[in-house]
Amino acid sequence: MHELPATQGMLDVALEAAEAAGATSIQEIHLVIGSLTSIVDDSVQFYFDLLARGTLAEGAILVFHREAARLDCGSCGHTGEVVPPLPRSCPTCESLQLRVTGGDAFRVESLEVDDPD
């Protein structure tokens, strides 16, 4: 259910940008969603279809891009992409000195719009 407010926020950003550009409609919205979020693409699509009715974004295609999280080991320097479930220790040296970054994004990356010209 948390996808509803996230989708509303995303739609607000897209509409504001399209209106500022003088667009007549939004054709595509490219989204970046982190691999550590619990955001489900199908739920975003469902809410978007409802919320976009009667707006410049009605009928727009959502293009989902997943962004990986990164794991860095403070002991051996191992780095790499990680997906849930996160490891409890470094896969190389088994150290517990791990740092996970990224993977928490939910943002509009770009829009494709029609303009009056």
Side-chain angles (χ1 to χ4, degrees), residues 34-55:
S35 62
L36 299 182
T37 68
S38 57
I39 293 175
V40 178
D41 297 1
D42 288 342
S43 294
V44 172
Q45 185 69 62
F46 174 79
Y47 288 125
F48 177 79
D49 291 342
L50 292 174
L51 295 168
R53 288 184 187 159
T55 72

Side-chain angles (χ1 to χ4, degrees), residues 50-63:
L50 292 174
L51 295 168
R53 288 184 187 159
T55 72
L56 295 178
E58 184 171 9
I61 297 168
L62 298 182
V63 181

Side-chain angles (χ1 to χ4, degrees), residues 23-93:
T24 57
S25 66
I26 299 173
Q27 301 303 306
E28 288 186 4
I29 302 173
H30 294 256
L31 302 172
V32 175
I33 302 173
S35 62
L36 299 182
T37 68
S38 57
I39 293 175
V40 178
D41 297 1
D42 288 342
S43 294
V44 172
Q45 185 69 62
F46 174 79
Y47 288 125
F48 177 79
D49 291 342
L50 292 174
L51 295 168
R53 288 184 187 159
T55 72
L56 295 178
E58 184 171 9
I61 297 168
L62 298 182
V63 181
F64 298 92
H65 303 280
R66 286 287 170 172
E67 181 179 82
R70 303 250 347 131
L71 173 80
D72 298 305
C73 177
S75 292
C76 74
H78 171 82
T79 63
E81 292 184 1
V82 291
V83 296
L86 298 177
R88 292 177 180 237
S89 62
C90 175
T92 302
C93 71

Side-chain angles (χ1 to χ4, degrees), residues 90-108:
C90 175
T92 302
C93 71
E94 297 187 13
S95 169
L96 300 178
Q97 294 182 22
L98 301 178
R99 188 177 92 174
V100 176
T101 57
D104 58 351
F106 183 70
R107 68 178 181 274
V108 175

